[in-house]
Amino acid sequence: MKPNHLANQPIGIFDSGIGGLTVANALVKHLPRENIVYFGDTAHMPYGDKSAAAIQAYAVKIAHMLLQQECKLILIACNTASAAAYDLVKEYIGSKAIVMDVIAPVIRLLKENYAKKRVGLIGTRQTVNSNIYKKKVDELNLDIALSSYATNLLASAIEEFGNHHVIDTLLNVYLSDPNLQQIDALVLACTHYPIIKERIFAHYKTPLDIIDSSDIVAQAVKTKLEKNNLLNMNGDSIKHFYVSDYTETFATNAKLFFGNNITLEHYPLWD
Ligand code: DGL
């Protein structure tokens, strides 16, 4: 196949904050040669409490910025923004770049593995109220009993405390909801939650699958790039991690989310 000169352009990733770094981390493992531009909208975090209209406005502006950085693919590494703004961002970007979200790859996984099963889902209030997973599961007639529950404080608590045992108190309350009992799998529909995956697993006394989208999404990005002849074969893996508001807490926690040393740079998108 002819080399595609666009292949050297970076992958753009964004989230409300540093939660999407869990996806960026998986992406680096699956696609070590790719250049990455990450944008965390820490000035507006958490998105889970914002209106869909506000999230759409943020998402379009961030996508515009990633386009200016010449990204070949824009990944919305946030369930809340994927639920509220994927269609709009896709329309805005048109054919200038590929746009992907974190929901479609999980729906594909559910389709392949969980027909006739009971699946629970936790996410922000905005994601759960959008009902997007249920709509997609029903549209495809997947015959999955999907019950969702908004665990709204979790993302902020994880940004504040990281993987700290104080989180167990919140989990005891949230995961005791009747909707989340006797399930075969639990979808972590927020990119912050992989950080506390083991705690969630430990909470359940009976075994269940915890569906963490980071690897699934990274694999989907790889497949998409391959199909479009856009894999970067010779890249030197240049990475930029921008945040719209810089604090030392974000800088410290970013290492936890990325699983590696990382330097955050302030990008004044809203100034
Ligand atoms: N990480 C985001 C998600 O996947 C949400 C966190 C927030 O409320 O900003 O939904």
Side-chain angles (χ1 to χ4, degrees):
M1 213 182 289
K2 241 178 41 195
N4 185 341
H5 69 282
L6 299 178
N8 292 334
Q9 292 177 200
I11 297 175
I13 308 177
F14 76 90
D15 176 49
S16 61
I18 51 179
L21 289 173
T22 55
V23 184
N25 188 24
L27 214 61
V28 169
K29 285 194 197 127
H30 287 260
L31 295 161
R33 312 204 82 141
E34 295 294 332
N35 300 323
I36 287 179
V37 178
Y38 181 92
F39 184 85
D41 193 9
T42 47
H44 294 126
M45 153 84 203
Y47 276 7
D49 288 331
K50 304 282 186 305
S51 66
I55 298 165
Q56 286 166 356
Y58 303 150
V60 167
K61 180 131 175 166
I62 296 165
H64 179 80
M65 170 265 183
L66 292 173
L67 209 55
Q68 282 176 328
Q69 306 275 325
E70 304 193 324
C71 292
K72 59 185 174 187
L73 184 147
I74 295 174
L75 171 64
I76 309 179
C78 170
N79 282 264
T80 312
S82 295
Y86 171 74
D87 290 339
L88 199 71
V89 169
K90 203 166 159 45
E91 193 184 319
Y92 179 78
I93 298 295
S95 59
K96 297 195 250 341
I98 296 169
V99 179
M100 291 181 71
D101 70 356
V102 284
I103 296 175
V106 172
I107 297 290
R108 271 198 297 279
L109 178 102
L110 291 177
K111 182 176 170 195
E112 283 155 20
N113 300 288
Y114 293 95
K116 307 211 185 316
K117 300 250 169 93
R118 281 178 53 96
V119 176
L121 178 146
I122 52 174
T124 66
R125 192 172 290 139
Q126 179 60 240
T127 300
V128 169
N129 287 352
S130 76
N131 220 8
I132 187 143
Y133 281 88
K134 179 105 182 79
K135 281 184 206 152
K136 289 188 185 288
V137 159
D138 290 347
E139 263 165 34
L140 294 169
N141 283 322
L142 295 189
D143 196 12
I144 293 170
L146 182 72
S147 40
S148 311
Y149 191 71
T151 47
N152 215 43
L153 289 180
L154 267 189
S156 301
I158 295 167
E159 292 232 351
E160 178 67 24
F161 297 107
N163 184 18
H164 188 275
H165 64 79
V166 73
I167 303 279
D168 290 329
T169 311
L170 279 177
L171 290 179
N172 283 339
V173 177
Y174 286 143
L175 301 183
S176 305
D177 186 82
N179 280 306
L180 302 177
Q181 311 313 311
Q182 276 103 43
I183 48 177
D184 300 298
L186 180 70
V187 177
L188 306 186
C190 173
T191 52
H192 283 68
Y193 301 173
I195 296 291
I196 54 156
K197 193 159 123 181
E198 295 309 322
R199 290 186 185 283
I200 294 173
F201 193 69
H203 176 91
Y204 282 93
K205 306 288 173 257
T206 48
L208 82 169
D209 300 338
I210 303 283
I211 303 178
D212 157 3
S213 65
S214 33
D215 274 316
I216 306 164
V217 169
Q219 187 55 55
V221 170
K222 188 173 179 189
T223 306
K224 183 67 106 184
L225 291 178
E226 272 164 2
K227 273 196 185 145
N228 288 276
N229 190 22
L230 279 172
L231 271 184
N232 195 341
M233 308 304 241
N234 335 292
D236 29 19
S237 182
I238 299 164
K239 299 181 191 67
H240 286 284
F241 298 97
Y242 297 115
V243 284
S244 52
D245 185 31
Y246 182 92
T247 67
E248 284 305 324
T249 316
F250 288 138
T252 310
N253 284 348
K255 294 185 180 63
L256 179 77
F257 282 80
F258 194 59
N260 228 319
N261 252 352
I262 170 174
T263 308
L264 297 184
E265 300 169 57
H266 179 224
Y267 191 105
L269 189 62
W270 314 109
D271 300 359

